[in-house]
Amino acid sequence: MIQELLESNQFIMLVALLLIVSIVVTKFSTRLGVPSLVLFIGVGMLVGSDGLGFIYFDNPEIAQLIGVFALIVILFEGGMQTKWRDIRSVIAPSISMATVGVVLTTGIVAIASKYILQLSWVEAMLVGAIVGSTDAAATFAVLKGKNIRGKLEATLEAESGTNDPMAVFLTITFIQLLTTSEANFLLMTGKFFWQMGAGFLIGALIGYLGSFALNRINLDSSGLYPLFALGFAFLAYSTSSLLQASGLLSVYVAAVLIGNAELAYRYSILRFHEGFGWMAQILMFIILGLFVFPTEVFTLPVMIKGLLIALVLILIARPIATYLSLLGFSFTNKEKLFLSWAGLRGAVPIVLALFPMMAGLENSQVIFNVVFFIVLTSALVQGSSINWVAERFNLVSDKLTNPIHSLELISIGKANVEMMEFDVMESNQIVGQTLENIELPDRALINAIIRDGDVITPYGQTEIKTGDTLYILVSRKSKKEVKRLLEAVVDHETEYEKSRA
């Protein structure tokens, strides 16, 4: 009993150290310009059996389960942060890239894999399908805070949030072709449209149900609302999966609907899921790092073959797929080049590479090792240079307005009022206006202004200046009207689009 207790305490100590180290390395990832996922994987490999030998882990079923669990959390957090007004205009090109683009990428990478890895055509197509989709976890993490032009950032986020169903469908299809003698292509095509259509509808239904419930059900503690929202994420995935639809697509659609609704305790929900999303990323990439045996991956044959396929993916397959899938859409050549370069691979290809292992395919270990090296190459080369490429192409913009935060007042939580926090920028229309000239709703009041570190007590003649932080007490019914007023910007908002035209 004492020995078991000591072992459990040692495990808890190891988990604590891994969590602390992983969070600390995010600081180094920013300074080094390396995506944090690479460092998380590195931590996993370091403590694994081929590293310091603290943990031996080689169970693909558990790795796949943890990976899917983490992807649900990450997709939900990313979807809630996605603004519908930003992605509405890029839905069509994003879906084209998420479907046509994935198929084209799969085919081109398959040709390279056939001759480089000496696989059969179906096995080569399987490799192409596994690395065919971009990764939501990597994309959301790398683009956060980069100020890439709104249209491009929205396109990449929507593509990464919706292209997983195509990659999963193709991966499972080619595994079935390798493990069964009969294949009904008509049935497989029907399954794909069912997965996409039903996944979207289930996600929309649960997203509407979730936003309705979060606003109508009064819970005893504000801390329960983030968990309540998370429950709808898992409900969306499980319901869709049980009905043979795309669970990941359902999660993303539900998250977008919930995130764009006027929610009670919205700030608490978003902040909780931001932290929990980081926790999911750390857990997932450390587990994937543990599963990898560096002595097998970082061998000269695997690295040479993986690097060749990665170059084909990055320099040939992704650009061709991007240009062809965006035919007829209004993107400039620079924007298409940037979208081609920003096709990050991450956790999804590694998780999909576990499927052949669980199916017992002959070359599953070779496929996993090569895919893992391809993902590392993509993360290091593309992930670390996205901002540089965007700046070179003049695709980085200044923020037009800051997000509005709602600070829930726990002491008066039953009064249906919130404290909104808003940072005033030069482009906001309220700059230069006095408080008496700002037409706030009756149930809204500016309680305090922070200016240059000092608290200013507002009165009618107080003038709003750039850099001010406003604290506004507002009823939940008036939030939408106040947000419209605060977020209004001057007319030169679209100068970039006009100059480009």
Short mmCIF file of all heavy atoms in Angstrom, two decimals, residues 172-236:
data_model
loop_
_atom_site.label_atom_id
_atom_site.label_comp_id
_atom_site.label_asym_id
_atom_site.label_seq_id
_atom_site.Cartn_x
_atom_site.Cartn_y
_atom_site.Cartn_z
N ILE A 172 -10.03 6.95 -43.45
CA ILE A 172 -10.80 5.73 -43.16
C ILE A 172 -11.11 4.97 -44.43
O ILE A 172 -11.07 3.73 -44.47
CB ILE A 172 -12.09 6.10 -42.40
CG1 ILE A 172 -11.73 6.67 -41.02
CG2 ILE A 172 -13.00 4.89 -42.26
CD1 ILE A 172 -12.92 7.17 -40.23
N THR A 173 -11.39 5.70 -45.51
CA THR A 173 -11.69 5.04 -46.79
C THR A 173 -10.51 4.22 -47.28
O THR A 173 -10.67 3.05 -47.67
CB THR A 173 -12.07 6.09 -47.85
OG1 THR A 173 -13.26 6.77 -47.44
CG2 THR A 173 -12.30 5.43 -49.21
N PHE A 174 -9.31 4.78 -47.25
CA PHE A 174 -8.14 4.05 -47.75
C PHE A 174 -7.74 2.91 -46.82
O PHE A 174 -7.24 1.88 -47.27
CB PHE A 174 -6.98 5.02 -47.96
CG PHE A 174 -7.20 5.99 -49.09
CD1 PHE A 174 -7.09 7.36 -48.87
CD2 PHE A 174 -7.57 5.55 -50.35
CE1 PHE A 174 -7.32 8.26 -49.90
CE2 PHE A 174 -7.80 6.44 -51.38
CZ PHE A 174 -7.68 7.80 -51.17
N ILE A 175 -8.00 3.07 -45.52
CA ILE A 175 -7.77 1.95 -44.59
C ILE A 175 -8.72 0.81 -44.89
O ILE A 175 -8.33 -0.38 -44.89
CB ILE A 175 -7.91 2.42 -43.12
CG1 ILE A 175 -6.73 3.34 -42.75
CG2 ILE A 175 -7.96 1.23 -42.17
CD1 ILE A 175 -6.83 3.92 -41.36
N GLN A 176 -9.98 1.13 -45.20
CA GLN A 176 -10.94 0.09 -45.56
C GLN A 176 -10.55 -0.60 -46.85
O GLN A 176 -10.70 -1.83 -46.99
CB GLN A 176 -12.34 0.70 -45.69
CG GLN A 176 -12.96 1.13 -44.36
CD GLN A 176 -14.30 1.79 -44.54
OE1 GLN A 176 -14.68 2.20 -45.64
NE2 GLN A 176 -15.03 1.94 -43.45
N LEU A 177 -10.02 0.15 -47.81
CA LEU A 177 -9.57 -0.45 -49.06
C LEU A 177 -8.40 -1.41 -48.83
O LEU A 177 -8.25 -2.40 -49.54
CB LEU A 177 -9.16 0.63 -50.05
CG LEU A 177 -10.28 1.50 -50.63
CD1 LEU A 177 -9.72 2.62 -51.48
CD2 LEU A 177 -11.24 0.64 -51.46
N LEU A 178 -7.58 -1.13 -47.81
CA LEU A 178 -6.43 -1.98 -47.52
C LEU A 178 -6.80 -3.19 -46.67
O LEU A 178 -6.07 -4.19 -46.66
CB LEU A 178 -5.35 -1.17 -46.78
CG LEU A 178 -4.60 -0.12 -47.63
CD1 LEU A 178 -3.80 0.81 -46.73
CD2 LEU A 178 -3.67 -0.83 -48.63
N THR A 179 -7.90 -3.10 -45.95
CA THR A 179 -8.26 -4.19 -45.02
C THR A 179 -9.44 -5.03 -45.49
O THR A 179 -9.69 -6.09 -44.91
CB THR A 179 -8.59 -3.61 -43.63
OG1 THR A 179 -9.62 -2.61 -43.75
CG2 THR A 179 -7.36 -2.99 -43.01
N THR A 180 -10.17 -4.57 -46.50
CA THR A 180 -11.30 -5.35 -47.02
C THR A 180 -11.16 -5.53 -48.52
O THR A 180 -10.57 -4.71 -49.21
CB THR A 180 -12.64 -4.64 -46.72
OG1 THR A 180 -12.64 -3.35 -47.34
CG2 THR A 180 -12.85 -4.48 -45.22
N SER A 181 -11.72 -6.60 -49.00
CA SER A 181 -11.61 -6.91 -50.43
C SER A 181 -12.70 -6.24 -51.26
O SER A 181 -12.58 -6.13 -52.48
CB SER A 181 -11.68 -8.44 -50.65
OG SER A 181 -12.88 -8.96 -50.09
N GLU A 182 -13.77 -5.81 -50.62
CA GLU A 182 -14.88 -5.19 -51.33
C GLU A 182 -14.97 -3.71 -50.95
O GLU A 182 -14.88 -3.36 -49.79
CB GLU A 182 -16.20 -5.88 -51.00
CG GLU A 182 -16.24 -7.35 -51.43
CD GLU A 182 -17.55 -8.00 -51.09
OE1 GLU A 182 -18.42 -7.30 -50.52
OE2 GLU A 182 -17.73 -9.19 -51.39
N ALA A 183 -15.15 -2.88 -51.94
CA ALA A 183 -15.27 -1.44 -51.70
C ALA A 183 -16.39 -0.86 -52.55
O ALA A 183 -16.39 -1.04 -53.77
CB ALA A 183 -13.96 -0.72 -52.02
N ASN A 184 -17.35 -0.23 -51.91
CA ASN A 184 -18.47 0.38 -52.60
C ASN A 184 -18.26 1.89 -52.63
O ASN A 184 -18.52 2.58 -51.65
CB ASN A 184 -19.78 0.03 -51.88
CG ASN A 184 -21.01 0.45 -52.67
OD1 ASN A 184 -20.99 1.46 -53.36
ND2 ASN A 184 -22.06 -0.34 -52.58
N PHE A 185 -17.74 2.40 -53.77
CA PHE A 185 -17.39 3.82 -53.85
C PHE A 185 -18.63 4.71 -53.77
O PHE A 185 -18.57 5.81 -53.23
CB PHE A 185 -16.62 4.09 -55.15
CG PHE A 185 -15.24 3.52 -55.15
CD1 PHE A 185 -14.99 2.31 -55.78
CD2 PHE A 185 -14.20 4.17 -54.51
CE1 PHE A 185 -13.72 1.75 -55.78
CE2 PHE A 185 -12.92 3.63 -54.50
CZ PHE A 185 -12.68 2.42 -55.14
N LEU A 186 -19.76 4.23 -54.30
CA LEU A 186 -20.99 5.01 -54.24
C LEU A 186 -21.43 5.18 -52.79
O LEU A 186 -21.82 6.28 -52.37
CB LEU A 186 -22.09 4.33 -55.05
CG LEU A 186 -23.42 5.09 -55.16
CD1 LEU A 186 -23.21 6.44 -55.84
CD2 LEU A 186 -24.46 4.26 -55.90
N LEU A 187 -21.33 4.09 -52.02
CA LEU A 187 -21.69 4.15 -50.60
C LEU A 187 -20.74 5.07 -49.84
O LEU A 187 -21.15 5.84 -48.98
CB LEU A 187 -21.67 2.75 -50.00
CG LEU A 187 -22.02 2.63 -48.51
CD1 LEU A 187 -23.44 3.14 -48.26
CD2 LEU A 187 -21.87 1.18 -48.03
N MET A 188 -19.44 5.00 -50.17
CA MET A 188 -18.46 5.85 -49.50
C MET A 188 -18.72 7.34 -49.78
O MET A 188 -18.61 8.18 -48.90
CB MET A 188 -17.05 5.48 -49.96
CG MET A 188 -16.58 4.13 -49.47
SD MET A 188 -14.91 3.74 -50.07
CE MET A 188 -14.66 2.13 -49.30
N THR A 189 -19.08 7.65 -51.04
CA THR A 189 -19.38 9.04 -51.39
C THR A 189 -20.61 9.54 -50.63
O THR A 189 -20.63 10.67 -50.12
CB THR A 189 -19.62 9.17 -52.90
OG1 THR A 189 -18.48 8.68 -53.61
CG2 THR A 189 -19.88 10.61 -53.29
N GLY A 190 -21.62 8.67 -50.54
CA GLY A 190 -22.81 9.03 -49.78
C GLY A 190 -22.50 9.27 -48.31
O GLY A 190 -23.05 10.18 -47.68
N LYS A 191 -21.59 8.46 -47.76
CA LYS A 191 -21.19 8.64 -46.37
C LYS A 191 -20.52 9.99 -46.14
O LYS A 191 -20.72 10.64 -45.12
CB LYS A 191 -20.23 7.52 -45.94
CG LYS A 191 -20.91 6.20 -45.63
CD LYS A 191 -19.88 5.18 -45.13
CE LYS A 191 -20.55 3.87 -44.76
NZ LYS A 191 -19.57 2.87 -44.27
N PHE A 192 -19.72 10.41 -47.12
CA PHE A 192 -19.04 11.70 -46.97
C PHE A 192 -20.04 12.85 -46.89
O PHE A 192 -19.95 13.71 -46.01
CB PHE A 192 -18.07 11.93 -48.11
CG PHE A 192 -17.53 13.34 -48.16
CD1 PHE A 192 -16.62 13.77 -47.21
CD2 PHE A 192 -17.96 14.23 -49.13
CE1 PHE A 192 -16.13 15.07 -47.23
CE2 PHE A 192 -17.48 15.52 -49.16
CZ PHE A 192 -16.56 15.95 -48.21
N PHE A 193 -21.01 12.86 -47.82
CA PHE A 193 -21.99 13.95 -47.81
C PHE A 193 -22.86 13.89 -46.55
O PHE A 193 -23.28 14.92 -46.03
CB PHE A 193 -22.85 13.89 -49.07
CG PHE A 193 -22.14 14.38 -50.30
CD1 PHE A 193 -21.70 13.48 -51.26
CD2 PHE A 193 -21.89 15.73 -50.49
CE1 PHE A 193 -21.03 13.93 -52.40
CE2 PHE A 193 -21.22 16.18 -51.62
CZ PHE A 193 -20.79 15.28 -52.57
N TRP A 194 -23.13 12.67 -46.07
CA TRP A 194 -23.85 12.54 -44.82
C TRP A 194 -23.03 13.11 -43.66
O TRP A 194 -23.56 13.84 -42.81
CB TRP A 194 -24.20 11.08 -44.55
CG TRP A 194 -24.66 10.84 -43.14
CD1 TRP A 194 -23.97 10.28 -42.12
CD2 TRP A 194 -25.94 11.19 -42.60
NE1 TRP A 194 -24.70 10.25 -40.96
CE2 TRP A 194 -25.92 10.80 -41.22
CE3 TRP A 194 -27.09 11.79 -43.11
CZ2 TRP A 194 -27.02 11.00 -40.38
CZ3 TRP A 194 -28.17 11.98 -42.26
CH2 TRP A 194 -28.13 11.58 -40.93
N GLN A 195 -21.75 12.76 -43.62
CA GLN A 195 -20.90 13.26 -42.54
C GLN A 195 -20.85 14.78 -42.52
O GLN A 195 -20.95 15.41 -41.46
CB GLN A 195 -19.48 12.69 -42.69
CG GLN A 195 -19.35 11.23 -42.33
CD GLN A 195 -17.93 10.71 -42.50
OE1 GLN A 195 -17.03 11.46 -42.88
NE2 GLN A 195 -17.74 9.43 -42.24
N MET A 196 -20.68 15.39 -43.69
CA MET A 196 -20.60 16.85 -43.76
C MET A 196 -21.94 17.50 -43.44
O MET A 196 -22.02 18.40 -42.61
CB MET A 196 -20.12 17.28 -45.15
CG MET A 196 -18.69 16.89 -45.48
SD MET A 196 -17.47 17.84 -44.55
CE MET A 196 -17.58 19.43 -45.38
N GLY A 197 -23.01 17.05 -44.11
CA GLY A 197 -24.32 17.66 -43.94
C GLY A 197 -24.89 17.46 -42.55
O GLY A 197 -25.32 18.42 -41.89
N ALA A 198 -24.89 16.21 -42.09
CA ALA A 198 -25.44 15.92 -40.77
C ALA A 198 -24.58 16.56 -39.68
O ALA A 198 -25.10 17.06 -38.67
CB ALA A 198 -25.54 14.42 -40.56
N GLY A 199 -23.25 16.53 -39.87
CA GLY A 199 -22.37 17.16 -38.88
C GLY A 199 -22.66 18.64 -38.73
O GLY A 199 -22.69 19.17 -37.62
N PHE A 200 -22.88 19.31 -39.86
CA PHE A 200 -23.19 20.74 -39.82
C PHE A 200 -24.53 21.00 -39.13
O PHE A 200 -24.63 21.88 -38.27
CB PHE A 200 -23.22 21.31 -41.24
CG PHE A 200 -23.56 22.77 -41.31
CD1 PHE A 200 -22.58 23.73 -41.16
CD2 PHE A 200 -24.87 23.18 -41.50
CE1 PHE A 200 -22.90 25.09 -41.20
CE2 PHE A 200 -25.21 24.53 -41.54
CZ PHE A 200 -24.22 25.48 -41.40
N LEU A 201 -25.55 20.24 -39.47
CA LEU A 201 -26.88 20.46 -38.91
C LEU A 201 -26.91 20.15 -37.41
O LEU A 201 -27.51 20.90 -36.64
CB LEU A 201 -27.90 19.59 -39.65
CG LEU A 201 -28.19 20.00 -41.10
CD1 LEU A 201 -29.15 19.00 -41.74
CD2 LEU A 201 -28.77 21.41 -41.16
N ILE A 202 -26.26 19.07 -37.01
CA ILE A 202 -26.23 18.72 -35.58
C ILE A 202 -25.47 19.80 -34.80
O ILE A 202 -25.89 20.21 -33.72
CB ILE A 202 -25.58 17.34 -35.38
CG1 ILE A 202 -26.48 16.25 -35.98
CG2 ILE A 202 -25.33 17.06 -33.90
CD1 ILE A 202 -25.84 14.89 -36.04
N GLY A 203 -24.35 20.25 -35.36
CA GLY A 203 -23.60 21.32 -34.70
C GLY A 203 -24.42 22.59 -34.56
O GLY A 203 -24.38 23.26 -33.51
N ALA A 204 -25.16 22.95 -35.62
CA ALA A 204 -25.99 24.16 -35.57
C ALA A 204 -27.10 24.01 -34.54
O ALA A 204 -27.39 24.95 -33.77
CB ALA A 204 -26.58 24.44 -36.95
N LEU A 205 -27.71 22.84 -34.48
CA LEU A 205 -28.80 22.61 -33.53
C LEU A 205 -28.30 22.69 -32.09
O LEU A 205 -28.89 23.37 -31.24
CB LEU A 205 -29.44 21.24 -33.79
CG LEU A 205 -30.55 20.82 -32.83
CD1 LEU A 205 -31.73 21.79 -32.93
CD2 LEU A 205 -31.02 19.40 -33.12
N ILE A 206 -27.18 22.02 -31.82
CA ILE A 206 -26.65 22.02 -30.45
C ILE A 206 -26.07 23.39 -30.10
O ILE A 206 -26.14 23.83 -28.95
CB ILE A 206 -25.60 20.90 -30.30
CG1 ILE A 206 -26.30 19.54 -30.41
CG2 ILE A 206 -24.85 21.02 -28.97
CD1 ILE A 206 -25.40 18.36 -30.29
N GLY A 207 -25.51 24.09 -31.08
CA GLY A 207 -25.03 25.44 -30.84
C GLY A 207 -26.16 26.38 -30.44
O GLY A 207 -26.03 27.18 -29.50
N TYR A 208 -27.29 26.28 -31.14
CA TYR A 208 -28.45 27.10 -30.79
C TYR A 208 -28.98 26.71 -29.42
O TYR A 208 -29.29 27.59 -28.58
CB TYR A 208 -29.55 26.93 -31.85
CG TYR A 208 -30.84 27.63 -31.50
CD1 TYR A 208 -30.98 29.01 -31.69
CD2 TYR A 208 -31.92 26.92 -30.96
CE1 TYR A 208 -32.16 29.65 -31.35
CE2 TYR A 208 -33.09 27.57 -30.61
CZ TYR A 208 -33.22 28.93 -30.81
OH TYR A 208 -34.38 29.58 -30.48
N LEU A 209 -29.07 25.39 -29.17
CA LEU A 209 -29.55 24.92 -27.86
C LEU A 209 -28.62 25.39 -26.75
O LEU A 209 -29.08 25.81 -25.68
CB LEU A 209 -29.63 23.39 -27.88
CG LEU A 209 -30.03 22.71 -26.56
CD1 LEU A 209 -31.46 23.10 -26.19
CD2 LEU A 209 -29.92 21.19 -26.69
N GLY A 210 -27.31 25.33 -26.99
CA GLY A 210 -26.34 25.74 -25.98
C GLY A 210 -26.44 27.22 -25.65
O GLY A 210 -26.43 27.61 -24.47
N SER A 211 -26.51 28.08 -26.67
CA SER A 211 -26.60 29.52 -26.43
C SER A 211 -27.91 29.87 -25.72
O SER A 211 -27.93 30.74 -24.84
CB SER A 211 -26.49 30.29 -27.75
OG SER A 211 -27.50 29.88 -28.66
N PHE A 212 -28.99 29.16 -26.07
CA PHE A 212 -30.28 29.39 -25.41
C PHE A 212 -30.21 29.00 -23.93
O PHE A 212 -30.63 29.76 -23.05
CB PHE A 212 -31.38 28.59 -26.12
CG PHE A 212 -32.74 28.74 -25.49
CD1 PHE A 212 -33.53 29.83 -25.82
CD2 PHE A 212 -33.21 27.80 -24.59
CE1 PHE A 212 -34.79 29.97 -25.25
CE2 PHE A 212 -34.46 27.94 -24.01
CZ PHE A 212 -35.25 29.03 -24.34
N ALA A 213 -29.63 27.82 -23.66
CA ALA A 213 -29.55 27.33 -22.29
C ALA A 213 -28.64 28.19 -21.43
O ALA A 213 -28.94 28.46 -20.25
CB ALA A 213 -29.07 25.88 -22.28
N LEU A 214 -27.52 28.64 -21.99
CA LEU A 214 -26.57 29.45 -21.22
C LEU A 214 -27.18 30.78 -20.79
O LEU A 214 -26.80 31.34 -19.75
CB LEU A 214 -25.31 29.71 -22.05
CG LEU A 214 -24.35 28.52 -22.18
CD1 LEU A 214 -23.35 28.76 -23.31
CD2 LEU A 214 -23.61 28.28 -20.87
N ASN A 215 -28.12 31.29 -21.57
CA ASN A 215 -28.74 32.57 -21.25
C ASN A 215 -30.00 32.43 -20.39
O ASN A 215 -30.35 33.34 -19.65
CB ASN A 215 -29.11 33.32 -22.53
CG ASN A 215 -27.90 33.99 -23.18
OD1 ASN A 215 -27.05 34.52 -22.49
ND2 ASN A 215 -27.82 33.93 -24.49
N ARG A 216 -30.66 31.29 -20.48
CA ARG A 216 -31.95 31.14 -19.80
C ARG A 216 -31.85 30.43 -18.45
O ARG A 216 -32.73 30.60 -17.61
CB ARG A 216 -32.92 30.37 -20.71
CG ARG A 216 -33.33 31.13 -21.96
CD ARG A 216 -33.96 32.47 -21.61
NE ARG A 216 -34.36 33.23 -22.79
CZ ARG A 216 -35.56 33.17 -23.35
NH1 ARG A 216 -36.49 32.38 -22.82
NH2 ARG A 216 -35.85 33.88 -24.41
N ILE A 217 -30.84 29.61 -18.25
CA ILE A 217 -30.73 28.85 -17.01
C ILE A 217 -29.81 29.59 -16.04
O ILE A 217 -28.64 29.82 -16.33
CB ILE A 217 -30.19 27.43 -17.26
CG1 ILE A 217 -31.15 26.66 -18.19
CG2 ILE A 217 -30.00 26.68 -15.95
CD1 ILE A 217 -30.67 25.27 -18.55
N ASN A 218 -30.35 29.98 -14.90
CA ASN A 218 -29.57 30.69 -13.88
C ASN A 218 -28.92 29.66 -12.96
O ASN A 218 -29.60 28.93 -12.24
CB ASN A 218 -30.47 31.63 -13.06
CG ASN A 218 -30.92 32.84 -13.87
OD1 ASN A 218 -30.14 33.37 -14.65
ND2 ASN A 218 -32.15 33.25 -13.67
N LEU A 219 -27.59 29.60 -13.00
CA LEU A 219 -26.84 28.68 -12.16
C LEU A 219 -26.41 29.38 -10.89
O LEU A 219 -26.28 30.60 -10.84
CB LEU A 219 -25.63 28.14 -12.92
CG LEU A 219 -25.95 27.42 -14.24
CD1 LEU A 219 -24.67 27.03 -14.96
CD2 LEU A 219 -26.81 26.18 -13.98
N ASP A 220 -26.14 28.59 -9.85
CA ASP A 220 -25.81 29.15 -8.55
C ASP A 220 -24.44 29.82 -8.54
O ASP A 220 -24.19 30.73 -7.74
CB ASP A 220 -25.85 28.06 -7.48
CG ASP A 220 -27.27 27.55 -7.25
OD1 ASP A 220 -28.21 28.32 -7.52
OD2 ASP A 220 -27.43 26.40 -6.82
N SER A 221 -23.54 29.37 -9.40
CA SER A 221 -22.18 29.92 -9.43
C SER A 221 -21.80 30.28 -10.86
O SER A 221 -22.09 29.52 -11.79
CB SER A 221 -21.19 28.91 -8.86
OG SER A 221 -19.85 29.34 -9.07
N SER A 222 -21.14 31.42 -11.03
CA SER A 222 -20.71 31.82 -12.37
C SER A 222 -19.65 30.87 -12.92
O SER A 222 -19.48 30.75 -14.13
CB SER A 222 -20.15 33.25 -12.33
OG SER A 222 -19.02 33.32 -11.48
N GLY A 223 -18.95 30.16 -12.03
CA GLY A 223 -17.93 29.22 -12.47
C GLY A 223 -18.49 28.00 -13.16
O GLY A 223 -17.75 27.24 -13.80
N LEU A 224 -19.80 27.78 -13.04
CA LEU A 224 -20.42 26.63 -13.69
C LEU A 224 -20.73 26.88 -15.17
O LEU A 224 -20.87 25.92 -15.93
CB LEU A 224 -21.72 26.25 -12.97
CG LEU A 224 -21.57 25.72 -11.54
CD1 LEU A 224 -22.94 25.52 -10.89
CD2 LEU A 224 -20.79 24.41 -11.54
N TYR A 225 -20.82 28.14 -15.57
CA TYR A 225 -21.18 28.44 -16.94
C TYR A 225 -20.14 27.93 -17.96
O TYR A 225 -20.52 27.38 -19.00
CB TYR A 225 -21.41 29.95 -17.12
CG TYR A 225 -22.73 30.40 -16.56
CD1 TYR A 225 -22.83 30.85 -15.25
CD2 TYR A 225 -23.89 30.37 -17.32
CE1 TYR A 225 -24.04 31.27 -14.72
CE2 TYR A 225 -25.11 30.79 -16.82
CZ TYR A 225 -25.18 31.24 -15.50
OH TYR A 225 -26.39 31.64 -14.98
N PRO A 226 -18.83 28.11 -17.72
CA PRO A 226 -17.86 27.55 -18.68
C PRO A 226 -17.96 26.03 -18.81
O PRO A 226 -17.85 25.49 -19.92
CB PRO A 226 -16.50 27.97 -18.08
CG PRO A 226 -16.80 29.16 -17.24
CD PRO A 226 -18.15 28.91 -16.69
N LEU A 227 -18.19 25.33 -17.68
CA LEU A 227 -18.34 23.88 -17.74
C LEU A 227 -19.63 23.49 -18.47
O LEU A 227 -19.67 22.50 -19.20
CB LEU A 227 -18.34 23.30 -16.32
CG LEU A 227 -17.05 23.48 -15.52
CD1 LEU A 227 -17.23 22.95 -14.11
CD2 LEU A 227 -15.89 22.77 -16.22
N PHE A 228 -20.66 24.29 -18.27
CA PHE A 228 -21.93 24.06 -18.95
C PHE A 228 -21.73 24.17 -20.47
O PHE A 228 -22.23 23.33 -21.24
CB PHE A 228 -22.95 25.09 -18.47
CG PHE A 228 -24.37 24.78 -18.79
CD1 PHE A 228 -24.81 23.47 -18.93
CD2 PHE A 228 -25.30 25.79 -18.96
CE1 PHE A 228 -26.14 23.17 -19.21
CE2 PHE A 228 -26.62 25.52 -19.25
CZ PHE A 228 -27.05 24.20 -19.38
N ALA A 229 -20.99 25.20 -20.89
CA ALA A 229 -20.72 25.38 -22.32
C ALA A 229 -19.89 24.21 -22.86
O ALA A 229 -20.14 23.71 -23.96
CB ALA A 229 -19.99 26.70 -22.54
N LEU A 230 -18.89 23.77 -22.08
CA LEU A 230 -18.05 22.67 -22.52
C LEU A 230 -18.86 21.39 -22.70
O LEU A 230 -18.57 20.58 -23.59
CB LEU A 230 -16.92 22.43 -21.51
CG LEU A 230 -15.85 21.41 -21.89
CD1 LEU A 230 -15.10 21.85 -23.15
CD2 LEU A 230 -14.88 21.22 -20.74
N GLY A 231 -19.87 21.22 -21.89
CA GLY A 231 -20.72 20.05 -22.03
C GLY A 231 -21.38 19.99 -23.40
O GLY A 231 -21.53 18.89 -23.97
N PHE A 232 -21.75 21.14 -23.96
CA PHE A 232 -22.36 21.16 -25.29
C PHE A 232 -21.35 20.81 -26.38
O PHE A 232 -21.71 20.27 -27.42
CB PHE A 232 -23.01 22.51 -25.56
CG PHE A 232 -24.25 22.75 -24.76
CD1 PHE A 232 -24.23 23.54 -23.62
CD2 PHE A 232 -25.45 22.16 -25.13
CE1 PHE A 232 -25.36 23.75 -22.87
CE2 PHE A 232 -26.61 22.36 -24.38
CZ PHE A 232 -26.55 23.15 -23.23
N ALA A 233 -20.07 21.11 -26.14
CA ALA A 233 -19.03 20.72 -27.11
C ALA A 233 -18.95 19.19 -27.21
O ALA A 233 -18.94 18.62 -28.31
CB ALA A 233 -17.68 21.30 -26.69
N PHE A 234 -18.89 18.54 -26.06
CA PHE A 234 -18.81 17.08 -26.07
C PHE A 234 -20.12 16.45 -26.54
O PHE A 234 -20.12 15.39 -27.17
CB PHE A 234 -18.44 16.56 -24.68
CG PHE A 234 -17.02 16.85 -24.30
CD1 PHE A 234 -16.71 17.81 -23.35
CD2 PHE A 234 -15.98 16.18 -24.91
CE1 PHE A 234 -15.41 18.09 -23.01
CE2 PHE A 234 -14.66 16.44 -24.58
CZ PHE A 234 -14.37 17.40 -23.62
N LEU A 235 -21.24 17.12 -26.25
CA LEU A 235 -22.53 16.63 -26.75
C LEU A 235 -22.58 16.68 -28.27
O LEU A 235 -23.07 15.75 -28.92
CB LEU A 235 -23.66 17.47 -26.16
CG LEU A 235 -25.09 17.08 -26.59
CD1 LEU A 235 -25.42 15.67 -26.14
CD2 LEU A 235 -26.10 18.08 -26.04
N ALA A 236 -22.07 17.78 -28.85
CA ALA A 236 -22.05 17.91 -30.31
C ALA A 236 -21.20 16.80 -30.94
O ALA A 236 -21.61 16.17 -31.92
CB ALA A 236 -21.52 19.28 -30.70
#
